[in-house]
Amino acid sequence: MCGIWGMINNGEQQCDNSVALAAAFRYIDGRGPDARGARQVALRGHAVTLAHSRLAVIELSALGAQPMVDADAGWSIVYNGEIYNYREIRATLNGAGPAFNGGSDTEVLLRAWALWGLDALPRLNGMFAFAALNEKTGELWLVRDRFGVKPLLWGRCPKGDIVFGSSVASVASMVGTDIDTAYCARGVRYKAYETAQSGSPYKHVNAVAAGCWIKFQLSPERINVSEGRWYSLRDAVAQRQASMADISDDDLLEECRQLFDSAVQLRLRSDVPVAVSLSAGLDSASIACMMQRHGARTHAFSFGAPSEPASEGPGTQSLAKAAGIDVTYVWPRYSSWDLYEMLEKTMAFQEAPFSGLSPIAQNAVFRAVGDAGFKVLLGGQGSDEIFAGYRKFIVIALREALQRREAAGALRLMYSLALMLAHEASQARMYWQNLGRYKDKAGAFRLLDWEAGAHNLWGEAGMSLADRQIEDIQQWSLPTLLRYEDRNSMGYGIETRLPFMDYRLIEFALALPTRMKIANGYGKWLLRGAAKGLVPDVVRLNRKKRGFDVTQNWIAQGIGASLRGFIFDHSSALRGALKTGEQLDKLLTDESLAQDPNLLDEALLLAWLVDPTRLPRHHARPSRMAA
């Protein structure tokens, strides 16, 4: 896991990129605090620079350093991510060329790319974003993983230079910082900033789309750009549905167990200690308990405190005692200055606006993980999207059954909906607030002088449950959550690994029939069955759903004052985004911000706009390693 950066100087065979390189490292150093590497070559009338900041997780020696070069093949690479099945691919590659120099997955990726090219990508099980340069042919490729777990941005400078890297702020600082108001307005209105196709709050910064590639072909006269897709989730799910049509429910249950077991086991491969993010929910509990089953020392980090009934602490403590898991509880008591620092740091790490206070709490968890000396953390992101864990999926599935006149299925789903409503009546206010996102009409902002387009988050009337889940994975939920997790974790030099993002598990889960996703008032029905005997029933069969929330009154304790300071002190800089003539004193009271999540998100966006390319202040890693 690392940070990458690169530049193609247009029409300059020799140039000094030292200033640009130094600036880039200031943005990506947090992603790879263990080492730096850079390489510049003159190629077909251009200067090409590749740079890398390293987080050493596999092959800790210099044999894993980047940029990595295969002189015989003419390829060099800078790469961010992990190829979890690198050992299996290495075994296939043995005998197909010179002996491997070290034990890194980077060397395996480089050799596979040099030998197979695009055909290497479907073989990879992992999260990755890389740039590969061939000095013999003059081509430079940017490639991103199936679901966009790792970021990869690029843009063209006014003079035609190409800049790319892991940091959107680093690229924007060179190609232009004009804000994409549609990106920002969509995020505030629907809590979904990113999509699988885009991922930049700047007009002139492009994201390599998930499952896609960009190719720059260098010639003395120009830089030609082409692009393509190497993975289609919809096609993969359709093929999976066809293959499981005649498989029994018992066999599907067993396959789910095996796929989840394999996904966790692969993500335990590491040359440094591995920890796990834990809550009282099914997803993280399943991962932690599976780690235990594989004999891994399981140390968990959880946001909450056992002594705080409003937090997840009591439930997490009960689970941890039952499963024998060591837990570090993160429940900081911040001063107003501490909260300002955490807000500022989260905005810098994210390099884009975010919704609510949970990203700040998530930042605090990753800080604690780094302070404990861990570099790798497993987490449960993705389970709700792929196994239909969100409550909205019951309504969408019911709509589908009624349209198809499937009476038995509709009755089962009505029963599930009734059970869900009965068990979660205490959370009705939260659900009512979130329901506003699902209204198919443009919403008016209270602080922002922008308009938000209208989108139908329920999906089109004839859309199947699986198709609507795919929309969550590609635009309405997961891309933004993955960005929050990646930027917060990498700000502290921590690699997060997500077993539920294993492509085999995603394709399998999405292809399941509805009755195996939703039943008896539960989402994630098959996962709950697969977790029987692994996860304590008090967690496995709990119907109440709880998000990653912040129950402390951080707004009154300092966040509110910090937001008012950003907005009032920089009102001139916010001209064009901030409405004029509004009674900001009344709108921005602590009480208003605490009661209206949409108003809070608008204020958070305005605070980010004050300095969108702010430099991160990285947290020093302790010298000791976790035992």
Side-chain angles (χ1 to χ4, degrees):
M1 185 66 66
C2 310
I4 65 175
W5 182 86
M7 188 172 186
I8 306 172
N9 291 94
N10 185 35
E12 294 185 67
Q13 184 81 358
Q14 300 291 335
C15 62
D16 182 4
N17 275 337
S18 58
V19 174
L21 191 60
F25 274 125
R26 288 193 292 172
Y27 283 105
I28 66 173
D29 269 343
R31 301 185 70 91
D34 294 332
R36 286 179 173 182
R39 183 169 185 262
Q40 181 172 308
V41 297
L43 187 61
R44 302 193 176 194
H46 308 274
V48 181
T49 304
L50 299 178
H52 185 261
S53 60
R54 185 183 184 202
L55 180 67
V57 170
I58 294 175
E59 179 56 83
L60 306 185
S61 77
L63 293 174
Q66 301 181 44
M68 189 174 285
V69 180
D70 184 334
D72 293 335
W75 286 99
S76 55
I77 195 170
V78 285
Y79 150 59
N80 167 31
E82 292 290 354
I83 308 301
Y84 303 119
N85 63 334
Y86 73 99
R87 294 176 185 172
E88 289 77 9
I89 298 173
R90 179 186 175 118
T92 302
L93 289 167
N94 275 329
F100 283 87
N101 296 314
S104 72
D105 61 326
T106 305
E107 190 175 6
V108 172
L109 174 60
L110 177 58
R111 184 77 60 84
W113 179 260
L115 183 63
W116 298 319
L118 285 171
D119 289 337
L121 302 177
R123 303 171 186 250
L124 306 179
N125 187 341
M127 51 183 182
F128 50 88
F130 66 84
L133 172 69
N134 191 310
E135 296 178 39
K136 296 181 179 180
T137 63
E139 58 191 285
L140 187 148
W141 293 72
L142 304 181
V143 182
R144 199 169 179 209
D145 63 57
R146 292 172 178 83
F147 307 109
V149 180
K150 294 292 102 184
L152 187 52
L153 297 307
W154 72 281
R156 193 185 293 270
C157 298
K159 294 184 179 180
D161 299 339
I162 301 292
V163 182
F164 59 88
S166 304
S167 163
V168 63
S170 173
V171 175
S173 65
M174 297 193 68
V175 307
T177 57
D178 293 346
I179 298 298
D180 184 343
T181 57
Y183 168 100
C184 295
R186 166 196 163 103
V188 173
R189 175 71 174 82
Y190 295 103
K191 321 304 178 192
Y193 289 95
E194 315 293 321
T195 74
Q197 305 304 316
S198 65
S200 166
Y202 301 100
K203 291 181 179 179
H204 304 298
V205 180
N206 312 295
V208 179
C212 292
W213 52 264
I214 305 286
K215 178 184 176 183
F216 302 101
Q217 182 64 58
L218 279 58
S219 68
E221 298 81 18
R222 64 181 63 87
I223 304 172
N224 291 318
V225 183
S226 57
E227 57 186 304
R229 172 173 296 279
W230 67 269
Y231 177 75
S232 168
L233 177 59
R234 291 188 185 276
D235 291 347
V237 172
Q239 292 172 10
R240 200 71 171 86
Q241 286 173 328
S243 70
M244 66 169 55
D246 298 323
I247 301 176
S248 70
D249 289 1
D250 287 343
D251 287 342
L252 288 174
L253 179 64
E254 182 57 30
E255 186 173 0
C256 183
R257 287 194 185 103
Q258 292 177 3
L259 285 173
F260 179 64
D261 187 328
S262 175
V264 173
Q265 193 169 9
L266 282 176
R267 284 157 182 78
L268 292 176
R269 291 177 172 178
S270 173
D271 293 336
V272 298
V274 178
V276 63
S277 175
L278 185 65
S279 70
L282 174 66
D283 308 331
S284 61
S286 298
I287 295 170
C289 292
M290 186 62 78
M291 290 174 66
Q292 294 276 79
R293 177 170 289 184
H294 284 292
R297 180 187 173 189
T298 308
H299 190 97
F301 291 82
S302 181
F303 187 76
S307 60
E308 295 290 341
S311 78
E312 286 198 275
T316 303
Q317 184 184 49
S318 298
L319 167 65
K321 286 183 176 179
I325 299 171
D326 295 329
V327 183
T328 294
Y329 294 97
V330 181
W331 193 250
R333 297 297 186 183
Y334 287 134
S335 67
S336 59
W337 176 255
D338 292 333
L339 285 168
Y340 165 79
E341 287 278 285
M342 287 301 296
L343 172 61
E344 178 69 32
K345 182 168 286 190
T346 305
M347 289 191 293
F349 284 4
Q350 288 295 315
E351 299 187 321
F354 56 86
S355 292
L357 301 182
S358 58
I360 303 175
Q362 185 187 58
N363 189 299
V365 173
F366 287 125
R367 177 174 181 168
V369 174
D371 284 345
F374 286 96
K375 287 185 176 182
V376 179
L377 186 77
L378 269 59
Q381 202 71 265
S383 175
D384 283 312
E385 288 81 3
I386 72 172
F387 281 107
Y390 293 131
R391 296 314 191 190
K392 64 188 176 189
F393 288 138
I394 300 180
V395 179
I396 291 167
L398 176 59
R399 180 185 67 183
E400 179 188 10
L402 291 172
Q403 289 173 342
R404 294 186 177 184
R405 298 183 179 180
E406 297 172 349
L411 287 173
R412 285 194 297 266
L413 289 164
M414 288 178 184
Y415 176 64
S416 287
L417 181 61
L419 283 176
M420 183 271 287
L421 293 173
H423 281 86
E424 302 211 35
S426 62
Q427 301 190 86
R429 182 174 180 271
M430 179 191 71
Y431 285 116
W432 182 256
Q433 286 179 332
N434 287 328
L435 192 61
R437 299 167 54 202
Y438 291 82
K439 296 177 182 177
D440 188 12
K441 63 179 182 179
F445 293 125
R446 301 178 68 186
L447 296 173
L448 293 168
D449 196 16
W450 297 341
E451 292 185 3
H455 299 278
N456 179 12
L457 268 63
W458 290 112
E460 297 301 322
M463 181 175 286
S464 69
L465 174 60
D467 285 339
R468 181 57 186 81
Q469 289 177 267
I470 290 173
E471 284 205 345
D472 254 21
I473 290 169
Q474 294 185 331
Q475 62 176 340
W476 293 124
S477 174
L478 201 52
T480 297
L481 296 176
L482 291 174
R483 188 252 285 177
Y484 291 168
E485 179 138 345
D486 173 81
R487 307 309 192 273
N488 271 334
S489 63
M490 294 309 296
Y492 294 104
I494 296 163
E495 173 179 304
T496 53
R497 297 179 173 183
L498 308 173
F500 290 108
M501 293 304 298
D502 188 300
Y503 78 95
R504 302 168 301 167
L505 195 57
I506 289 177
E507 294 169 3
F508 169 84
L510 291 176
L512 290 168
T514 297
R515 70 177 187 279
M516 303 199 76
K517 298 176 184 179
I518 301 168
N520 298 320
Y522 294 103
K524 298 185 282 195
W525 179 247
L526 187 66
L527 180 61
R528 294 177 195 275
K532 186 175 182 179
L534 178 70
V535 176
D537 282 355
V538 67
V539 172
R540 187 178 71 89
L541 300 178
N542 182 18
R543 280 196 175 89
K544 287 190 176 180
K545 181 166 183 58
R546 178 172 184 167
F548 184 72
D549 57 359
V550 178
T551 55
Q552 300 106 312
N553 193 8
W554 280 358
I555 291 176
Q557 292 167 4
I559 291 290
S562 295
L563 291 174
R564 287 189 290 275
F566 277 115
I567 295 169
F568 292 151
D569 295 347
H570 301 88
S571 56
S572 59
L574 295 173
R575 188 175 296 116
L578 180 64
K579 282 185 178 180
T580 58
E582 297 296 321
Q583 294 181 309
L584 293 181
D585 285 329
K586 292 183 178 179
L587 280 176
L588 291 174
T589 64
D590 289 344
E591 183 179 9
S592 296
L593 292 170
Q595 291 183 350
D596 188 342
N598 297 318
L599 184 67
L600 173 62
D601 288 351
E602 291 184 52
L604 287 166
L605 170 61
L606 289 165
W608 173 78
L609 283 172
V610 168
D611 184 10
T613 58
R614 48 173 56 84
L615 280 164
R617 288 172 283 177
H618 297 299
H619 190 60
R621 178 181 295 282
S623 59
R624 62 182 177 86
M625 287 292 295

